[in-house]
């Protein structure tokens, strides 16, 4: 993915496109903004927005043929917004309260172009062109056949266009240095003569002069006229639009720049903005306002159209207060320069890489591809702070070291049609399920079921450490090949997704499938009657797995009520993308929202999901609890073992598997672990701070060996620190019996350069 | 790293040199940034002491700022 690809991704987000009212308004009044200001009781502000685009606010608020309204998203829900009536409401309010402020406003030109332009015709079209050209710094002369300017505007009945309103709108020409020559009739065919007289360009703005093309060019260079449309009724707003267009063409002609470039959004166009109207209810339109309250009520009917589909579904996208177009821009800008702007890194590291945004986005924009790409680039460039993902990556490396790994064919057979790969999470959290599952598989399946313990490498992938990820995959593959390949049976959707993506030729099947193909073990006691399913984000594109899970629950007689965020719309638990480590608040909020989606007990089929939701008051079962029962201490309401226990459990699992299935005794581990004693509060703090007992032991061992520690004379506690990797650990302890009592432990990432 | 409660090292002695801790000058480094700081430490051998509230408070804040940069 290069800078250009990122730009293209950015373009996919249509949130900044105009709502249909604005895109179909020939002059693109910011209708949404104007209406919002009305609802905020800022009528002058609303009027300013309107005037900015409409040029002659008094006239347009009275006469506009309002093409915008037929495209309003309210159309079939009580009728389009009464947009023009609201414009008129603003104009009238300002005319009454601040008559001085109601007139058109021309900004002073930034520079004098020293070029003259002739405008033939002093009606709405010509006057608009004249005003715009004045603002651009040209010297404009308007030639009008009648004795006064305004053309047909002068012939409207008073009740449609009150004379004082017309007068006020045209009064802008009383003071500006625009030369107005009335009583001079110039036939369209004579326009060219003005060029000869020294005008640099001529704008033909008289009725009947319709021979310009889309860019207002005529057969005569330098003469510009409006395009076709002689047979359509007169539209004042189209006159304003074309007046602006004529001015632009004349300017470009004089400056000798492209007449045609970037003009696709001139005039009315079809917007791409998507607005979800689901759940919106009808409300009657009103376009005659007895009092301001009625205008306000009408304004409040506006949907304030915008997309933000993804933002509505994703805590992460919501949390940063904007939307993907801005996010992608920020990230790609940040990648383009080495020292980036603040917030781009949190933006990159807080995405769970779950892909929900792509599912709900009308253009399938997938933030996860951008975030993952950025992580990889940052790692490559060395601008990714390694500490952020240090813990999960070290935990992965722990799972993949010799003590935990196991690669075996089924005992007593050389054949290897299957390989059971339970994954590191289930192995650490519920090892008994691994033992039961392997027992089940070997007794039901023909052709040999090998076993592989370890981690698939997802943490390395999510952290952007591509090299480590590839190496992990390579090791996985060679272990798998050493068994003689075979279908990989997974108990984790992440493993399955990672392996399927990396090795398309490797057949993978979810463990659940086998309980359906063969018999279900006898039902354990105390199963829930109904539940809702927590689909893991990595099962979003894995319908087979999702279906198997539902079939399994049905077979167990458990009724399923689907969560709003399930199936392809499922949300991540916060472990995905390692958000838990980069931005725990976002992970926590996502979990909280999903907990609130239903009162049912939840069933998870990913160990990480189960952990994320467990311990928060609601029973959260692991699917295997419903197959084999939840053994011993593992209650569906409680959280599983902590980080240190999980690592120990993985070691233990290997030992127990070898004993149970291969009747091998593992050598007793030499390093007789020093006993550590601590209060539950200390254990909890360690857990929260991601400090392993292993780390604590290491600190104490080093301190005891070197004598390098501090002593608190008041408490007699010893305090020592050690920086085994990139993190410095501190432990406050004291000898006790055969080991140590730990009073506290904490860590920091800043490095103290001690000069000893 | 200006604010370290001078009392935080009180009652603490260096386990190697058996002298009370004082405020000493150190250099702190993280993610390509370095800056000086004064923290409790052994005046003789330079062994430092980072109290818990410093590690989890001000230092964590600085870490986050540097990481987000
Ligand atoms: S509902 Fe409001 S923003 Fe949407 S199209 Fe209608 S006027 Fe425009
Ligand atoms: S869903 Fe999100 S990314 Fe897609 S267009 Fe809408 S705001 Fe942009
Ligand atoms: Zn000392």
């Amino acid at each position: 993915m290069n800078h250009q690809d990122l730009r293209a991704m950015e373009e996919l987000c249509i949130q900044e496109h105009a709502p249909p009212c604005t895109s179909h308004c020939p002059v693109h009044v910011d209708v949404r903004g104007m209406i919002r200001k009305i609802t905020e009781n800022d009528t002058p502000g609303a009027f300013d927005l309107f005037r900015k685009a409409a040029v002659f606010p008094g006239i347009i608020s009275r006469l506009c043929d309002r093409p915008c309204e037929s495209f309003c998203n309210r159309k079939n829900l009580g009728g389009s917004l009464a947009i023009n009536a609201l414009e008129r409401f603003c104009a009238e309010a300002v005319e009454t309260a601040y008559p001085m402020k109601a007139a058109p406003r021309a900004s002073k030109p930034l520079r004098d172009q020293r070029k003259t332009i002739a405008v033939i015709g002093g009606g709405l079209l010509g006057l608009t062109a004249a005003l715009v050209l004045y603002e651009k710094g040209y010297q404009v002369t308007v030639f009008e056949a009648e004795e006064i300017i305004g053309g047909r505007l002068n012939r409207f009945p008073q009740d449609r266009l009150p004379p004082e309103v017309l007068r006020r709108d045209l009064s802008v020409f009383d003071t500006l240095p625009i030369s107005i020559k009335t009583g001079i009739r110039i036939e369209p065919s004579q326009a060219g003569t003005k060029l000869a007289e020294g005008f640099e360009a001529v704008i033909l703005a008289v009725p009947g002069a319709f021979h310009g093309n889309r860019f207002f060019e005529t057969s005569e260079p330098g003469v510009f006229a409006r395009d076709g449309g002689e047979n359509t009724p007169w539209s004042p707003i189209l006159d304003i639009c074309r007046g602006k267009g004529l001015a632009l063409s004349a300017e470009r002609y004089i400056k000798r720049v492209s007449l045609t470039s970037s003009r696709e959004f001139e005039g009315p166009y079809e917007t791409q903005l998507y607005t979800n109207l689901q759940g919106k209810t009808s409300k009657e339109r009103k376009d005659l306002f007895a009092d301001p309250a009625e205008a306000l009520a009408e304004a409040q009917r506006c949907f304030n159209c915008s997309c933000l589909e993804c933002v509505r579904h994703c805590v992460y996208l919501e949390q940063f207060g904007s939307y993907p177009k801005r996010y992608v821009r920020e990230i790609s800008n940040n990648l383009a320069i080495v020292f980036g702007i603040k917030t781009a890194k949190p933006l990159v590291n807080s995405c769970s890489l779950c892909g929900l945004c792509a599912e709900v986005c009308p253009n399938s924009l997938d933030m996860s591809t951008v975030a993952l790409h950025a992580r990889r680039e940052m790692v490559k460039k060395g601008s990714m702070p390694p500490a952020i993902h240090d813990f999960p990556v070290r935990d992965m490396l722990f799972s993949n070291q010799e003590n935990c790994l196991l690669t075996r064919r089924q005992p007593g057979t050389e054949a290897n049609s299957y390989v059971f790969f339970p994954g590191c999470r289930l192995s650490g959290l519920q090892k008994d399920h691994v033992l039961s599952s392997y027992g089940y598989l070997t007794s039901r399946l023909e052709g040999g079921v090998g076993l592989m313990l370890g981690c698939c490498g997802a943490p390395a992938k999510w952290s952007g450490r591509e090299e480590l990820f590839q190496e992990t995959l390579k090791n996985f593959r060679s272990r798998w090949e050493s068994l003689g390949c075979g279908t990989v049976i997974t108990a984790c959707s992440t493993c399955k997704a990672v392996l399927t993506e990396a090795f398309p030729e490797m057949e993978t099947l979810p463990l659940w499938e086998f309980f359906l193909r063969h018999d279900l073990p006898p039902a354990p006691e105390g199963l829930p009657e109904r539940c809702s399913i927590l689909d893991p984000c990595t099962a979003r594109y894995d319908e087979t797995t999702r279906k198997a899970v539902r079939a399994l629950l049905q077979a167990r007689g458990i009724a399923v009520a689907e969560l709003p965020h399930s199936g392809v719309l499922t949300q991540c638990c916060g472990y995905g993308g390692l958000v838990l480590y980069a931005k725990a608040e976002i992970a926590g909020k996502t979990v909280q929202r999903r907990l609130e989606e239903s009162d049912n007990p939840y069933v998870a089929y990913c160990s990480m999901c189960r952990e994320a939701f467990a311990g928060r008051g609601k029973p959260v079962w692991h699917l295997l609890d419903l197959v084999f029962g939840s053994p011993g201490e593992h209650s569906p309401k409680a959280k599983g073992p902590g980080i240190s226990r999980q690592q120990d459990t993985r070691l233990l699992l290997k030992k127990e598997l070898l004993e149970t299935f291969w009747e091998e005794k593992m050598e007793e581990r030499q390093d007789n672990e020093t006993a550590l004693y601590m209060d539950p509060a200390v254990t909890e703090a360690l857990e929260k701070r991601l400090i392993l007992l292993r780390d604590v032991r290491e600190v104490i061992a080093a301190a005891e060996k070197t004598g390098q520690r501090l002593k608190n004379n008041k408490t007699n506690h010893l305090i020592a620190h050690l920086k085994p990797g990139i993190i410095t650990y501190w432990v406050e302890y004291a000898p006790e019996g055969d080991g140590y009592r730990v009073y506290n432990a904490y860590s920091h990432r800043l490095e103290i350069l001690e000069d000893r | 790293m200006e604010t370290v409660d001078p009392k935080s090292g009180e009652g603490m002695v260096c386990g190697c040199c058996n002298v009370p801790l004082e405020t000493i000058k150190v250099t702190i480094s993280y993610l390509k940034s370095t800056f000086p700081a004064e923290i409790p430490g052994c005046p003789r051998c330079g062994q430092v002491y980072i109290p818990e509230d410093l590690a989890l408070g001000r230092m964590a804040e600085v870490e986050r700022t540097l990481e987000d940069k």
Side-chain angles (χ1 to χ4, degrees):
Chain A
M1 209 186 276
N2 56 30
H3 201 64
Q4 238 150 28
D5 298 329
L6 284 169
R7 285 284 139 166
M9 302 271 298
E10 195 185 296
E11 288 308 311
L12 284 179
C13 174
I14 41 89
Q15 167 63 11
E16 283 180 5
H17 286 236
C21 47
T22 294
S23 82
H24 285 280
C25 165
V27 297
H28 309 317
V29 169
D30 177 3
V31 177
R32 185 177 57 186
M34 175 187 83
I35 295 182
R36 196 185 310 127
K37 286 205 185 290
I38 297 175
T39 63
E40 290 163 356
N41 275 319
D42 178 10
T43 318
F47 177 74
D48 276 344
L49 281 180
F50 167 59
R51 173 176 51 193
K52 218 174 111 200
V55 185
F56 296 104
I59 298 167
I60 294 302
S61 64
R62 293 343 191 262
L63 298 186
C64 187
D65 41 312
R66 47 204 168 88
C68 58
E69 290 185 12
S70 350
F71 298 91
C72 172
N73 279 327
R74 258 282 178 210
K75 201 171 168 190
N76 301 318
L77 289 159
S80 314
L81 261 281
I83 297 172
N84 189 233
L86 287 169
E87 291 167 349
R88 181 166 168 174
F89 164 76
C90 296
E92 283 175 351
V94 173
E95 285 160 8
T96 318
Y98 325 91
M100 299 297 293
K101 294 189 176 169
R105 194 167 291 172
S107 46
K108 247 186 130 51
L110 288 177
R111 55 187 237 143
D112 185 352
Q113 306 282 2
R114 301 182 178 282
K115 301 270 155 96
T116 56
I117 297 177
V119 174
I120 300 173
L124 199 50
L125 179 67
L127 292 176
T128 306
L131 206 57
V132 174
L133 286 168
Y134 158 74
E135 289 185 310
K136 290 174 187 284
Y138 293 96
Q139 284 153 26
V140 187
T141 305
V142 177
F143 297 93
E144 167 57 46
E146 292 180 37
E147 289 307 319
I148 49 166
I149 54 168
R152 71 174 96 205
L153 294 172
N154 295 309
R155 293 183 280 281
F156 270 88
Q158 297 210 358
D159 57 329
R160 285 217 52 210
L161 183 60
E164 70 277 10
V165 170
L166 176 59
R167 216 171 304 124
R168 187 184 298 110
D169 270 9
L170 298 188
S171 68
V172 62
F173 294 100
D174 299 347
T175 48
L176 292 180
I178 296 176
S179 157
I180 308 263
K181 298 206 183 315
T182 51
I184 301 182
R185 174 175 303 273
I186 298 167
E187 292 306 322
S189 56
Q190 297 302 304
T193 60
K194 289 287 157 207
L195 290 175
E197 286 170 24
F199 288 100
E200 306 272 341
V202 178
I203 286 173
L204 252 180
V206 289
F210 287 133
H211 51 287
N213 65 11
R214 189 164 125 49
F215 302 105
F216 310 104
E217 290 168 292
T218 64
S219 51
E220 209 167 337
V223 176
F224 297 91
R226 60 161 292 186
D227 51 348
E230 46 276 64
N231 300 323
T232 50
W234 179 65
S235 156
I237 195 65
L238 275 179
D239 263 12
I240 306 268
C241 164
R242 288 180 176 126
K244 292 178 177 186
L246 281 161
L248 184 63
S249 286
E251 179 192 34
R252 290 189 178 192
Y253 169 77
I254 291 175
K255 290 191 165 165
R256 295 175 202 286
V257 294
S258 161
L259 213 59
T260 56
S261 76
S262 348
R263 293 184 76 163
E264 45 288 78
F265 294 116
E266 210 170 291
Y269 65 88
E270 220 44 74
T271 182
Q272 285 187 50
L273 183 71
Y274 169 80
T275 303
N276 190 342
L277 298 179
Q278 230 173 40
K280 305 265 192 227
T281 51
S282 176
K283 207 166 174 212
E284 270 323 292
R285 162 183 169 123
K286 188 154 209 170
D287 46 10
L288 283 176
F289 311 134
D291 53 40
E294 287 192 0
L296 183 70
E298 178 61 19
Q300 281 161 342
R301 291 172 66 238
C302 175
F303 291 139
N304 200 355
C305 292
S306 79
C307 176
L308 298 180
E309 281 299 290
C310 54
V311 177
R312 262 188 277 279
H313 286 274
C314 168
V315 175
Y316 151 64
L317 292 175
E318 181 196 80
Q319 203 70 11
F320 285 84
S322 190
Y323 42 85
K325 187 183 182 87
R326 298 262 176 96
Y327 298 153
V328 178
R329 193 179 313 159
E330 210 166 293
I331 291 174
S332 60
N333 285 346
N334 194 61
L335 288 178
I337 45 174
V338 183
F339 298 102
I341 15 187
K342 246 178 123 162
T343 74
K345 275 183 196 169
L347 204 47
V348 165
N349 288 324
S350 303
C351 172
S352 66
L353 310 177
C354 79
L356 174 57
C357 50
E359 285 305 311
V360 295
C361 171
N363 276 341
S364 308
L365 172 54
D366 188 349
M367 272 305 285
S368 74
T369 56
V370 179
L372 185 57
H373 164 73
R375 289 184 202 179
R376 288 177 180 153
E377 289 297 302
M378 283 161 62
V379 169
K380 242 195 276 172
K381 282 188 193 159
S383 59
M384 173 72 94
I388 293 180
H389 301 132
D390 183 65
F391 183 82
V393 169
R394 277 197 298 137
D395 194 46
M396 175 195 96
L397 293 174
F398 180 87
S399 300
N400 283 347
Q401 43 126 9
E402 214 29 62
N403 289 344
C404 294
L405 283 186
L406 190 61
T407 313
R408 291 282 176 117
R409 291 211 183 101
Q410 181 173 337
T413 163
E414 276 307 297
N416 192 72
S417 304
Y418 302 94
V419 176
F420 179 42
F421 180 61
C424 61
R425 298 283 131 195
L426 184 67
S427 300
L429 285 160
Q430 286 179 292
K431 75 169 165 48
D432 292 341
H433 283 335
V434 176
L435 288 152
S436 311
S437 300
Y438 191 53
Y440 175 94
L441 291 169
T442 45
S443 62
R444 306 301 197 281
L445 302 188
E446 302 285 329
V449 186
L451 180 75
M452 276 171 69
L453 295 182
C455 171
C456 66
K461 175 181 176 181
W462 289 334
S463 69
R465 302 183 194 196
E466 199 48 23
E467 236 171 84
L468 179 61
F469 177 48
Q470 291 307 331
E471 185 192 311
T472 310
L473 285 175
K474 211 175 106 203
N475 289 341
F476 181 92
R477 196 190 169 98
S478 65
R479 291 202 288 139
W480 175 66
E481 281 169 352
S482 77
L483 291 177
C485 307
T487 301
V488 178
I489 303 173
T490 57
C492 165
S493 286
T494 301
C495 299
K496 188 165 183 291
V498 164
L499 296 175
T500 317
E501 195 193 317
F503 308 118
E505 70 286 7
M506 184 183 285
E507 198 193 352
T508 55
L509 277 174
L511 173 61
W512 337 121
E513 189 72 33
F514 293 88
F515 299 120
L516 296 167
R517 289 186 190 179
H518 301 271
D519 57 308
L520 251 180
E525 304 247 315
L527 293 190
E529 277 167 26
R530 66 205 148 71
C531 73
S532 291
I533 301 174
L534 291 166
D535 286 310
C537 55
T538 40
R540 184 184 316 288
Y541 307 112
D542 185 357
E543 206 188 344
T544 324
T545 297
R546 297 199 316 267
K547 276 196 172 148
V549 169
R550 281 153 179 84
L552 190 54
L553 287 168
Q554 195 184 17
R556 270 292 186 242
I558 302 172
V560 172
E562 296 290 359
L563 295 175
H565 283 107
S566 64
V568 288
L569 292 187
T570 194
Q571 278 173 333
C572 174
C573 67
Y575 181 70
L578 307 177
V579 187
L580 192 57
Y581 304 97
K583 267 267 186 293
E585 316 89 270
I586 291 184
K589 239 189 202 164
T590 313
V591 168
Q592 194 48 43
R593 267 200 209 170
R594 285 189 85 190
L595 275 175
E596 286 160 11
E597 280 191 345
S598 162
D599 292 334
N600 280 335
Y602 284 174
V603 171
Y605 51 104
C606 159
S607 297
M608 248 1 247
C609 291
R610 204 211 81 88
E611 270 321 285
F613 292 90
R616 296 178 180 237
K618 183 197 281 280
V620 184
W621 304 75
H622 189 284
L623 190 58
L624 288 173
D625 299 338
L626 308 177
V627 175
F628 298 118
S630 61
E633 52 180 329
H634 213 106
S635 123
K637 276 204 170 170
K639 264 198 158 342
I643 48 174
S644 288
R645 276 273 306 281
Q646 286 178 43
Q647 293 199 347
D648 292 345
T649 306
R650 291 183 201 134
L651 297 169
L652 200 62
L653 173 62
K654 174 171 179 175
K655 184 167 168 270
E656 288 185 19
L657 278 164
L658 282 175
E659 281 173 10
T660 316
F661 295 96
W662 286 271
E663 289 164 16
E664 276 177 33
K665 267 226 154 329
M666 247 170 89
E667 257 177 69
E668 277 307 321
R669 287 176 44 212
Q670 321 272 318
D671 50 307
N672 251 336
E673 280 181 342
T674 333
L676 294 181
Y677 307 99
M678 59 186 90
D679 284 351
V682 177
T683 313
E684 207 178 294
L686 257 60
E687 190 72 23
K688 238 178 79 201
R689 297 170 184 175
L690 298 174
I691 300 174
L692 295 164
L693 295 182
R694 219 154 33 95
D695 302 324
V696 173
R697 286 198 180 94
E698 226 181 310
V699 176
I700 297 179
E704 290 302 306
K705 201 169 141 207
T706 60
Q708 249 176 43
R709 43 186 164 55
L710 303 165
K711 193 173 163 211
N712 187 327
N713 276 339
K714 279 186 271 178
T715 57
N716 272 334
H717 295 172
L718 299 166
I719 296 161
H721 70 283
L722 187 72
K723 181 171 169 289
I726 54 175
I727 290 173
T728 307
Y729 296 99
W730 287 82
V731 179
E732 181 180 340
Y733 67 101
E736 182 173 308
D738 54 344
Y740 299 94
R741 175 158 292 273
V742 177
Y743 296 97
N744 197 4
Y746 48 91
S747 71
H748 56 77
R749 301 169 178 191
L750 297 181
E751 190 180 350
I752 318 285
L753 304 174
E754 297 167 62
D755 7 63
R756 298 196 194 210
Chain B
M1 225 64 316
E2 47 316 311
T3 47
V4 177
D5 183 357
K7 284 206 281 286
S8 58
E10 230 169 66
M12 307 267 286
V13 293
C14 173
C16 311
C17 317
N18 210 16
V19 294
L21 300 193
E22 288 171 16
T23 300
I24 63 165
K25 290 194 163 99
V26 291
T27 304
I28 291 188
S29 144
Y30 190 51
L31 300 173
K32 298 174 193 154
S33 294
T34 48
F35 42 92
E38 296 192 357
I39 54 172
C42 171
R44 194 163 314 159
C45 73
Q47 184 179 185
V48 295
Y49 173 50
I50 304 284
E52 179 185 20
D53 50 352
L54 178 60
L56 305 184
R58 183 87 181 101
M59 280 174 78
E61 238 169 73
V62 174
E63 283 162 6
R64 202 159 317 132
T65 313
L66 291 173
E67 282 168 3
D68 290 356
K69 221 166 63 179

